[in-house]
Structure formats: structure tokens, C-alpha cells
Amino acid sequence: MTHQSMTDEELLALDVPLMIRYGLMFGGAHRTALFGDGAIAAALAAERLGVLPRSVAYLGEVVRRGGTRMAAELPEPLPGGEAAALARDWLGAAAPGARGVAEDETVARWLEAVAAVLELRVRTRGGGGSGPLGA
């Protein structure tokens, strides 16, 4: 992907699970795209479902502590049916490539990046959180 501005609709059309798989498997430019456009696209999708930034940040901690595969098996990795399905898509895409602590850390850092983008969007709209990542 070339570096150019994309609209929210264009970002929402990105295949985030595919970006997760490629970002974990191949690294390099794929990882850069995952942490750039992929994180923004994921944050937009989460925002549309009313997900709080702190929920995504907490999911990152769950991944860091228990692993991607364990988190992928949670019945509700994010609160709410649609949000849980979204997170299961992300985690399901990441689980096959998360074969150890280093990959789990990458997934956790990506979820934190998604939470940071989501928090920035909330704050710039004036919704503001009371602490880090909307806590």
C-alpha cells in the first residue's frame, strides 16, 4: 500500500484479519501496514460498535498474560455481541501465527495501538476519557 490519505470508508473496507495474518507471518512492510492502516481500520470498526478504548487495551493485556490462543477462545473478548465477534475475528486471524511469547507480544502491542487510535478519536470528538486509554 502506498502512503496516501484514505477515507474512513476506505479504511473500513480493509481486510484487517488478513493484515493481521500477513503482519505476523511476514513482518516488514506487512507489519508496518498492520500497525498503521490496520490499527486505524480496526479502531474505526470498534468505534462504530461503541467499544471503549480501555476494553481494547485490556484485551491487549489479556493477550500478553495468557496468550493469543487463550484470548481467541474467550466467549466475549470485547463486551457486546458484535464487538466480541469483531475481536474473535482479529484473534482468530492472529492465533495460528502466534506461536510464542514474541508473537503474543506483537498482538498485544497491536491491540494497544488500536486502543490508542480509538482513544485519540474519542478525545478529538470531545468524548474524552478520565485517564489513560479512557480508563
Side-chain angles (χ1 to χ4, degrees), residues 36-57:
D37 291 342
I40 296 167
L44 289 170
E47 178 182 44
R48 291 203 170 172
L49 297 175
V51 175
L52 297 174
R54 67 178 173 230
S55 296
V56 180

Side-chain angles (χ1 to χ4, degrees), residues 15-119:
D15 187 340
V16 173
L18 182 65
M19 294 178 81
I20 292 169
R21 281 192 295 276
Y22 280 30
L24 288 177
M25 285 177 22
F26 301 118
H30 293 288
R31 177 109 14 113
T32 300
L34 174 62
F35 275 82
D37 291 342
I40 296 167
L44 289 170
E47 178 182 44
R48 291 203 170 172
L49 297 175
V51 175
L52 297 174
R54 67 178 173 230
S55 296
V56 180
Y58 180 75
L59 183 56
E61 277 304 308
V62 170
V63 167
R64 185 171 280 120
R65 305 282 181 225
T68 304
R69 291 173 190 253
M70 183 278 302
E73 294 174 2
L74 293 172
E76 195 171 61
L78 287 175
E82 289 181 284
L86 179 67
R88 279 193 301 273
D89 286 346
W90 298 341
L91 295 168
R99 295 186 183 97
V101 175
E103 291 87 0
D104 288 336
E105 180 63 23
T106 299
V107 174
R109 285 187 306 107
W110 179 76
L111 287 165
E112 290 167 349
V114 172
V117 171
L118 188 53
E119 175 70 11

